[in-house]
């Protein structure tokens, strides 16, 4: 009872805050526009970034959001081929003849506390480098490549150049590596990661096994019956409207204007004219100037055009009223009603009843109604849709009702995380050996869980091992945030591809961490993670949706002041010091190839941790395998490889335990 009262109270105050949020949105839009106008006058030499994202709020000079992607390519390095590709990207033009990615030539600077793009002399050699063949006096091989890449990632991007860099790392073996580093703001300027990668873009779905469907994709269950009901009603309304137009539109029936129309016909013609006017204005507003005077002028001209075509005038209104009140017309109406009641209805009623019985019989025998225009057909079609649509509405309302309590109790009031270091801002990386996707699917099938939960269980064991080696206290639960990313985020290219469309919302999860002293089995740990994961999926539908809307449309940063959002995010990051990102492949069992035909064996994406988050774990699915990558604060070195090293071993342990059970 008290729980319901608390939930109701929090929901009530949330509803009351809606007008405040709307007022905040208007004030923020106006103040932000005024601020940009003022600082643009003070600094006309730069182009200010006019949008605010979560990462821009958390960015600092010391702790920047630099995305990193590593390609392991079979064969010897081809620096000139990479250079030709980058030259084409930098010079590429869109359909209008403008430079497609102008920000690749601009430097990112800060003026008055706001990001801005500054033009400068661009030299591709500053953004494309070939790393030395040796590292610490030894040839680069698979045994020291992780340390080499981590050393490169730990260095900040050079000052005074555009915020992206591609490093080619030769190897003494028959392969080489291409490391891409770019600032997150470039992905908001029309650029995709795949545009910089010298790869042949994927153009087809892979044959063979289908891609895995992550449960993180649809935490908020999309309505199914509401769109179906909308489509059905739209279709019915469209059919009725087309029938109405064919009967009363003078453009379809010119004979309507040869005689004086009745008042009913005139009102019908007026309605058709009004709808046509709205359609015309919707099309015309796209090609005229976006100001009030131009729109008013267009509406005036369109009104004259539409009324003249159908002769909707005051004179015709008066004439139609007189024609309707004409005694001859009134007698005709009376005779029509008399004929319908005395002769038509006695014949039509039995036919209608017979049709209703036929429809009812068809519903029971065929489980389908071939008479959609009967009363039984309408009930058979629309009652189930209305019922299931109401269930979906109540489901959404239930999530909305409980969301304020869930956000406060399960997210904001989360216990403090295990972070015990002072962030230095520089990043280090490492990654695990490959695990076959089929192995993970087999374990998931044996244990009755999803592939995501299997990998989460292995991640929790890796974290436990890290705590053991660093002599940290092992908590029962570790608060983490989870996000799903499609491989389109890394590989897809094209002007219609937006990086944010490949990302899901964020899920907050208390990840169970097994304590070696308690002798928790791998299957027990997997079962506990499954329960916690499903609980989070059930409770956090709205928060997942809001974070996804923030990623796509920036709703939180548009409705709330930046200072409040920044403080809120930094506070949350002290509790959620670990993030987990799942990157699933849209093209399973397919390996990418470079533009010059070399095969890409490995692709590892690292999502940069910011604010007080110190560890970012990424489950990278590519081709037929998965690798666990970690990007963490440099103060975790040299113990950070323990966060990923045992990943294949723990997956195998779960498979062995499931087979022996």
């Amino acid at each position: 009872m008290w729980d319901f009262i608390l939930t109701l109270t929090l929901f009530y105050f949330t509803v009351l805050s809606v007008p405040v949020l709307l007022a905040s949105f208007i004030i923020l839009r106006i103040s932000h526009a005024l601020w940009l106008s003022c600082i643009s006058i003070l600094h006309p030499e730069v182009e200010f970034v006019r949008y605010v994202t979560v990462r821009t709020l958390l960015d600092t000079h010391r702790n920047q959001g630099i995305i990193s992607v590593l390609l392991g390519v079979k064969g010897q390095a081809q620096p000139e081929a990479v250079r030709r590709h980058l030259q084409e990207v930098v010079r590429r033009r869109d359909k209008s003849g403008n430079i497609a990615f102008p920000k690749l030539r601009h430097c990112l600077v800060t003026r008055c506390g706001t990001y801005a793009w500054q033009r400068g002399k661009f030299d591709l050699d500053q953004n494309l480098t070939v790393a030395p063949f040796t590292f610490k006096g030894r040839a680069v091989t698979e045994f020291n490549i992780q340390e080499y890449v981590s050393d490169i990632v730990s260095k900040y991007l050079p000052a005074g150049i555009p915020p992206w860099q591609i490093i080619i790392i030769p190897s003494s073996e028959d392969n080489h590596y291409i490391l891409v580093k770019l600032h997150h703001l470039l992905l908001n300027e029309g650029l995709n990661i795949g545009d910089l990668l010298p790869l042949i873009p994927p153009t087809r779905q892979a044959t063979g096994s289908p891609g895995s469907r992550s449960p993180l994709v649809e935490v908020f269950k999309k309505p199914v019956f509401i769109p179906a009901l909308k489509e059905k009603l739209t279709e019915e309304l469209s059919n009725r409207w087309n029938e109405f137009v064919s009967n009363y539109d003078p453009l379809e029936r010119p004979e309507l204007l040869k005689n004086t129309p009745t008042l009913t016909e005139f009102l019908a013609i007026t309605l058709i004219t009004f709808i046509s006017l709205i359609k015309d204005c919707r099309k015309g507003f796209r090609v005229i100037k976006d100001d009030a005077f131009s729109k008013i002028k267009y509406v005036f001209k369109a009104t004259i055009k539409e009324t003249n075509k159908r002769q909707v005038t005051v004179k015709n209104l008066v004439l139609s009223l007189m024609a309707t009140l004409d005694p001859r017309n009134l007698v005709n109406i009376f005779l029509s009603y008399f004929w319908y009641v005395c002769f038509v209805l006695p014949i039509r009623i039995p036919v209608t009843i017979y049709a209703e019985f036929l429809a009812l019989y068809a519903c029971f025998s065929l489980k389908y109604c071939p008479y959609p225009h009967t009363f039984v057909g309408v009930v058979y079609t629309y009652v189930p849709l209305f019922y299931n649509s109401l269930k979906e509405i109540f489901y959404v309302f239930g999530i909305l009702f409980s969301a304020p309590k869930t956000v406060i109790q399960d997210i904001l009031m989360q216990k403090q995380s295990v972070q015990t270091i002072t962030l230095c801002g520089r990043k280090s990386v490492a990654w695990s050996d490959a695990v076959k996707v089929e192995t993970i699917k087999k374990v998931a099938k044996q244990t009755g869980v999803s592939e995501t939960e299997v990998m989460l269980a292995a991640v929790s064991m890796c974290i436990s091992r890290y705590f053991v080696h660093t002599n940290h206290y092992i908590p029962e639960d570790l608060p983490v945030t989870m996000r799903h990313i499609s491989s389109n985020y890394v590989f897809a290219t094209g002007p219609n591809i937006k990086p944010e469309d490949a990302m899901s919302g964020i899920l907050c999860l208390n990840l169970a961490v097994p304590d070696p002293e308690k002798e928790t089995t791998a299957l027990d740990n997997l079962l506990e993670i499954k329960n916690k994961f499903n609980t989070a999926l059930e409770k956090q539908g709205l928060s997942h949706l809001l974070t996804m809307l923030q990623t796509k449309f920036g709703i939180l940063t548009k409705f709330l002041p930046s200072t409040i959002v920044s403080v809120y995010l930094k506070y949350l990051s002290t509790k959620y010091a670990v993030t987990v990102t799942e990157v699933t492949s849209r093209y399973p069992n397919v390996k990418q190839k470079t533009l010059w035909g070399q095969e890409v064996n490995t692709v590892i994406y690292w999502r940069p941790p910011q604010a007080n988050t110190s560890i970012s774990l990424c489950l990278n699915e590519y081709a037929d395998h998965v690798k666990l990558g970690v990007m963490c604060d440099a103060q975790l070195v040299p113990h950070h490889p323990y966060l990923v090293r045992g990943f294949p071993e723990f997956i195998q342990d779960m498979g062995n335990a499931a087979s022996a059970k």
Side-chain angles (χ1 to χ4, degrees):
M1 179 64 182
W2 289 110
D3 185 70
F4 175 78
I5 294 176
L6 176 62
T7 305
L8 179 61
T9 303
L10 293 174
F11 177 74
Y12 176 73
F13 281 107
T14 302
V15 173
L16 289 180
S17 66
V18 172
V20 178
L21 291 176
L22 294 176
S24 173
F25 171 75
I26 297 173
I27 294 172
L28 288 175
R29 289 295 296 272
I30 296 174
S31 60
H32 187 63
L34 291 175
W35 168 250
L36 289 175
S37 299
C38 293
I39 61 178
S40 296
I41 296 174
L42 294 175
H43 300 280
E45 75 280 1
V46 299
E47 178 186 349
F48 284 96
V49 175
R50 297 188 171 273
Y51 49 83
V52 179
T53 66
V54 168
R55 286 202 177 274
T56 56
L57 293 177
L58 299 179
D59 256 346
T60 63
H61 176 71
R62 190 178 69 170
N63 193 356
Q64 301 177 10
I66 305 299
I67 296 168
S68 300
V69 179
L70 180 69
L71 305 181
V73 185
K74 186 178 180 180
Q76 296 301 312
Q78 303 288 334
E80 287 304 317
V82 178
R83 181 188 299 275
R84 287 194 298 270
H85 167 69
L86 292 179
Q87 286 175 342
E88 186 277 327
V89 173
V90 171
R91 298 170 181 172
R92 186 179 301 171
R93 296 183 178 272
D94 57 20
K95 294 180 179 179
S96 303
N98 301 317
I99 297 294
F101 310 119
K103 301 303 184 291
L104 287 177
R105 299 167 173 258
H106 297 176
C107 296
L108 188 63
V109 297
T110 303
R111 297 287 185 272
C112 301
T114 305
Y115 272 129
W117 296 101
Q118 186 177 44
R119 294 176 180 270
K121 185 178 180 181
F122 175 73
D123 184 4
L124 184 59
D125 291 333
Q126 293 180 320
N127 294 86
L128 173 63
T129 59
V130 180
F133 187 77
T134 60
F135 177 64
K136 293 183 178 180
R138 298 167 52 195
V140 178
T141 65
E142 62 177 4
F143 297 105
N144 62 352
I145 183 61
Q146 293 205 25
E147 187 181 359
Y148 197 7
V149 172
S150 184
D151 181 72
I152 296 174
V153 171
S154 66
K155 294 180 173 63
Y156 292 118
L157 288 172
I161 70 170
W164 62 277
Q165 195 175 27
I166 291 184
I167 302 100
I168 301 173
I169 307 174
S171 172
S172 61
E173 301 163 339
D174 189 28
N175 63 328
H176 67 282
Y177 300 89
I178 299 176
L179 178 64
V180 180
K181 298 171 63 179
L182 72 156
H183 199 280
H184 64 86
L185 274 179
L186 284 171
L187 299 182
N188 297 99
E189 299 290 345
L191 180 76
N192 296 293
I193 299 176
D195 291 315
L196 289 178
L197 299 179
L199 303 177
I200 299 174
T203 56
R204 63 179 180 84
Q205 289 288 348
T207 56
S209 60
S212 57
R213 186 70 171 177
S214 172
L216 293 171
V217 176
E218 295 181 355
V219 176
F220 187 89
K221 297 179 182 177
K222 293 183 179 179
V224 176
F225 293 98
I226 293 177
L229 178 61
K230 177 186 175 183
E231 183 180 356
K232 197 74 178 176
L233 291 175
T234 303
E235 180 184 356
E236 186 69 24
L237 181 62
S238 178
N239 292 336
R240 294 298 177 89
W241 175 255
N242 290 334
E243 183 180 353
F244 179 78
V245 169
S246 64
N247 290 330
Y248 293 102
D249 190 355
L251 301 182
E252 299 287 337
R253 295 183 60 194
E255 64 270 15
L256 289 174
L257 298 179
K258 292 181 179 179
N259 300 316
T260 303
T262 62
L263 182 61
T264 302
E265 292 174 337
F266 182 82
L267 293 177
I269 295 172
T270 304
L271 177 61
I272 294 172
T273 303
F274 179 71
I275 299 299
S276 299
L277 176 63
I278 293 176
K279 291 180 178 179
D280 190 8
C281 290
R282 288 182 62 183
K283 293 180 181 178
F285 284 172
R286 301 173 186 172
V287 296
I288 64 174
K289 294 181 180 179
D290 191 17
D291 61 89
F293 178 76
S294 298
K295 291 182 178 180
I296 293 174
K297 183 178 179 181
Y298 186 88
V299 170
F300 180 74
K301 290 184 176 180
T303 302
I304 294 176
K305 181 182 69 173
E306 293 294 332
T307 53
N308 287 338
K309 283 196 300 185
R310 295 178 176 85
Q311 299 183 16
V312 179
T313 60
V314 177
K315 178 182 177 181
N316 283 341
L317 172 62
V318 174
L319 292 176
S320 65
L321 183 61
M322 293 175 61
T324 302
L325 297 177
D326 191 326
R328 292 172 295 180
N329 184 58
L330 295 178
V331 171
N332 289 333
I333 294 174
F334 173 77
L335 293 177
S336 299
Y337 275 107
F338 181 78
W339 172 261
Y340 182 80
V341 171
C342 296
F343 296 97
V344 176
L345 274 184
I347 299 174
R348 192 166 184 175
I349 289 177
V351 174
T352 302
I353 294 175
Y354 177 71
E356 296 292 342
F357 275 110
L358 282 180
L360 187 63
Y361 175 76
C363 290
F364 283 106
S365 59
L366 303 177
K367 303 298 181 183
Y368 166 75
C369 186
Y371 307 97
H373 297 294
T374 61
F375 177 76
V376 173
V378 172
V379 170
Y380 186 83
T381 302
Y382 286 100
V383 168
L385 283 176
F386 272 110
Y387 173 73
N388 290 299
S389 298
L390 283 175
K391 287 176 64 177
E392 290 180 343
I393 291 173
F394 282 122
Y395 163 76
V396 174
F397 179 77
I399 291 179
L400 293 174
F401 181 70
S402 60
K405 180 192 170 187
T406 300
V407 170
I408 294 175
Q409 180 176 308
D410 294 347
I411 299 179
L412 292 180
M413 298 183 66
Q414 183 63 259
K415 59 185 179 181
Q416 187 69 29
S417 183
V418 295
Q419 181 175 318
T420 58
I421 66 169
T422 301
L423 299 176
C424 74
R426 293 186 297 109
K427 304 294 187 293
S428 295
V429 298
W431 61 91
S432 71
D433 292 334
V435 180
K436 293 292 184 182
V437 174
E438 289 303 321
T439 302
I440 299 175
K441 288 184 177 181
K442 182 179 179 181
V443 176
K445 186 176 181 180
Q446 289 174 333
T447 54
V449 300
S450 67
E451 299 162 35
T452 301
E453 290 162 335
V454 172
M455 292 187 287
L456 267 180
V459 167
S460 72
M461 295 177 189
C462 290
I463 294 174
S464 176
R465 175 176 288 186
Y466 169 79
F467 286 153
V468 170
H469 281 83
T470 55
N471 296 320
H472 272 90
Y473 164 73
I474 302 179
E476 291 185 1
D477 298 323
L478 177 67
V480 303
T481 58
M482 289 198 66
R483 164 166 269 172
H484 170 268
I485 297 179
S486 166
S487 61
N488 276 356
Y489 183 77
V490 179
F491 296 125
T493 62
N496 298 323
I497 301 296
K498 296 181 179 180
E500 56 269 22
D501 292 338
M503 305 179 72
S504 74
I506 294 176
L507 185 76
C508 297
L509 172 68
N510 287 330
L511 185 68
V513 180
D515 190 343
E517 295 183 359
K518 296 181 180 180
E519 298 182 353
T520 304
T521 65
L523 293 183
D524 290 339
N525 181 56
L526 178 60
L527 180 61
E528 186 173 359
I529 286 178
K530 175 187 177 182
N531 294 333
K532 292 180 178 295
F533 187 69
N534 289 335
T535 301
L537 291 177
E538 292 174 1
K539 288 186 175 182
Q540 297 181 29
L542 182 63
S543 59
H544 180 273
L545 178 62
L546 287 176
T547 51
M548 184 170 62
L549 293 177
Q550 166 60 30
T551 301
K552 293 187 176 182
F553 308 108
I555 61 169
L556 296 180
T557 49
K558 288 179 179 177
F559 281 84
L560 296 174
S562 298
T563 304
I564 294 177
V565 177
S566 178
V567 171
Y568 167 73
L569 293 172
K570 290 177 180 178
Y571 167 76
L572 274 186
S573 62
T574 61
K575 297 178 177 292
Y576 295 90
V578 180
T579 66
V580 180
T581 305
E582 181 188 30
V583 183
T584 58
S585 176
R586 289 289 303 273
Y587 306 93
N589 300 317
V590 171
K591 289 187 176 182
Q592 302 291 123
K593 287 189 177 182
T594 62
L595 295 172
W596 51 93
Q598 290 179 326
E599 194 173 75
V600 178
N601 295 325
T602 300
V603 177
I604 301 176
Y605 161 82
W606 287 287
R607 182 171 171 236
Q610 286 187 273
N612 296 305
T613 301
S614 57
I615 299 173
S616 175
L617 296 165
C618 296
L619 295 159
N620 291 279
E621 180 186 352
Y622 172 71
D624 62 345
H625 64 266
V626 176
K627 287 188 177 183
L628 176 62
V630 60
M631 175 178 278
C632 60
D633 192 79
Q635 290 203 15
L636 296 181
V637 176
H639 302 290
H640 66 291
Y642 289 113
L643 288 164
V644 297
R645 187 172 295 170
F647 182 70
E649 172 190 341
F650 296 134
I651 295 286
Q652 192 61 46
D653 289 345
M654 281 187 283
N656 295 336
S659 300
K661 188 175 180 180

